[in-house]
Amino acid sequence: MSFEFATATRILFGEGTAASLPELARAFGDHPLVVTGASPERVASVVSTFSAERFAVSGEPTVELVREGVRRVRRTNRDLVISIGGGSAIDAGKAIAAIATNGDEPLDFLEVVGKNRTIANAPLPFIAVPTTAGTGSEVTRNAVLASTEHGVKASLRSPFMLPRIALVDPQLTYGLPPAITAFTGLDALTQLIEPYVSARANPLVDGICVEGIGLAAGALRRVYHDGADRAARHDMALASLFGGLALANAGLGVVHGFASPLGGSWNAPHGALCAALLPHGMAANIAALRARALQHPALERYSTIARLLTGRSDAVAEDGVAWVRSLCAELNIPPLRQWGIAEADLPDVVEKAAQASSMKANPLQLTHEELLAVATAAW
Ligand SMILES: [Zn+2]
């Protein structure tokens, strides 16, 4: 067996660690661009420690937004990029830091729909401070951008893009409202389940996933019903970090394959899409494995997932699906149609999902009919 596990990010985790940000940042530069999300007031205490150029991101990051950020970096001579926010702010900052030293046009470097050029120069130093517990983007080497002209989301990807520092402070998630807590938390769970059954799974990732799935299983309901539950917030921040490390090293699968075209064409939070799709993607994979790949190791892995989620030693793979289904109901996860997606759109979504980079790591190839069934069930 051989595998690779890469991370060059210095990870600092713990309650109160965000206070060390100004000191850590000074080691990289004196003129940061600080990228925040749509609600920068929630992190005002951290942001206000900088007399920095601010750049706010509302909604999921787009190619246009990154262009604008790069112009701002150049115009104001920034030497460092710091993102303090959710996955959108982190991916935007990561992309801005990378493009700023490599060219002008994000599409030149974008996978799938762009020219897929290599990021050849080291990006500006980039520090990620997540304020949600979901994407794990603080430890991944890609930034997901929506290209509105192509109607998909695709990645800028390079080992150079790993953040220099990931500062994960669970306290920054205490104020998250329940809906965002649910969407981001289910994204974290998806990003632990998909790498664990991935075609690229490896033993180091396995350990991270098993630990992370257990943490998320114990904390997701608690953190949704009581956002002040500090132990549950701590566990979700850790689960999210683990999910980022796992997906960066073992890939994802069918759920994220769908999240790419859906997020590119409709204005819906990434986590909400993953949450709506997760039980159906799991069910489709398990059914396909039982039908044509009974000896596939992913099938036993789905049983392990079921045992971790339910806490029952006799749980079988399908029990894990039922657990996730009931979790989604309890956390009020809306179906896909709530985001303006029409049933007539689904065949086109399936075509694009089949081409998405995440789909390549799914444990087995699903047919067009199976993919359409997943989308329809989640709709
Ligand atoms: Zn995700």
Side-chain angles (χ1 to χ4, degrees):
M1 179 216 304
S2 63
F3 67 89
E4 180 185 333
F5 187 98
T7 186
T9 304
R10 181 179 169 203
I11 301 168
L12 292 99
F13 181 95
E15 283 78 1
T17 47
S20 58
L21 177 61
E23 190 191 327
L24 290 165
R26 263 194 298 278
F28 296 100
D30 295 321
H31 305 288
L33 180 78
V34 173
V35 180
T36 62
S39 313
E41 66 282 354
R42 223 169 49 71
V43 289
S45 62
V46 185
V47 176
S48 65
T49 55
F50 290 102
S51 57
E53 186 79 11
R54 312 275 167 78
F55 189 75
V57 176
S58 61
E60 311 267 314
T62 62
V63 169
E64 293 76 22
L65 180 97
V66 171
R67 267 186 214 127
E68 193 189 324
V70 169
R71 281 197 295 267
R72 181 86 70 88
V73 163
R74 299 223 171 109
R75 202 171 59 234
T76 60
N77 290 315
R78 300 292 104 186
D79 54 7
L80 162 72
V81 180
I82 302 170
S83 284
I84 307 170
S88 295
I90 294 178
D91 277 9
K94 200 191 285 181
I96 291 166
I99 300 300
T101 58
N102 279 279
D104 296 301
E105 179 46 60
L107 277 175
D108 286 349
F109 302 92
L110 206 60
E111 288 179 350
V112 187
V113 295
K115 293 185 187 157
N116 203 10
R117 269 178 54 196
T118 304
I119 305 268
N121 304 321
L124 289 178
F126 175 64
I127 298 177
V129 186
T131 61
T132 62
T135 64
S137 178
E138 66 275 11
V139 289
T140 68
R141 57 188 129 181
N142 66 309
V144 183
L145 303 182
S147 170
T148 31
E149 81 182 89
H150 298 96
V152 292
K153 279 188 165 178
S155 278
L156 296 174
R157 195 184 306 271
S158 164
F160 275 145
M161 288 173 66
L162 281 167
R164 302 288 278 271
I165 294 180
L167 198 51
V168 185
D169 185 341
Q171 284 184 1
L172 299 179
T173 68
Y174 289 175
L176 279 181
I180 297 177
T181 299
F183 297 160
T184 51
L186 270 151
D187 186 25
L189 180 61
T190 307
Q191 293 176 173
L192 290 158
I193 290 175
E194 293 204 295
Y196 187 57
V197 297
S198 154
R200 293 168 45 206
N202 76 54
L204 197 41
V205 169
D206 291 348
I208 289 172
C209 291
V210 167
E211 180 71 16
I213 292 167
L215 288 167
L220 265 168
R221 284 185 165 85
R222 285 156 55 208
V223 85
Y224 178 73
H225 293 298
D226 177 11
D229 183 331
R230 291 177 173 219
R233 290 286 192 197
H234 173 280
D235 287 357
M236 285 312 301
L238 208 47
S240 170
L241 174 65
F242 285 10
L245 290 168
L247 80 88
N249 287 285
L252 290 161
V254 57
V255 173
H256 279 81
F258 272 110
S260 159
L262 290 170
S265 293
W266 286 273
N267 189 17
H270 168 76
L273 297 172
C274 289
L277 286 154
L278 178 60
H280 311 294
M282 290 170 74
N285 275 346
I286 292 166
L289 288 163
R290 287 210 194 283
R292 54 182 187 270
L294 257 184
Q295 302 307 317
H296 196 296
L299 201 48
E300 180 51 36
R301 285 166 177 258
Y302 273 115
S303 299
T304 304
I305 290 167
R307 290 192 290 272
L308 290 165
L309 293 175
T310 63
R312 287 186 3 237
S313 60
D314 62 342
V316 297
E318 285 79 358
D319 296 327
V321 179
W323 189 94
V324 173
R325 214 184 283 272
S326 94
L327 176 74
C328 288
E330 189 172 330
L331 271 53
N332 294 302
I333 301 302
L336 295 180
R337 71 174 82 98
Q338 185 139 329
W339 304 103
I341 300 157
E343 193 169 13
D345 295 323
L346 298 182
D348 183 47
V349 167
V350 166
E351 289 301 318
K352 286 178 173 165
Q355 304 303 318
S357 57
S358 295
M359 198 65 91
K360 295 186 181 74
N362 202 54
L364 79 176
Q365 199 174 353
L366 297 175
T367 64
H368 179 89
E369 289 69 31
E370 286 167 339
L371 291 174
L372 187 59
V374 170
T376 306
W379 184 77

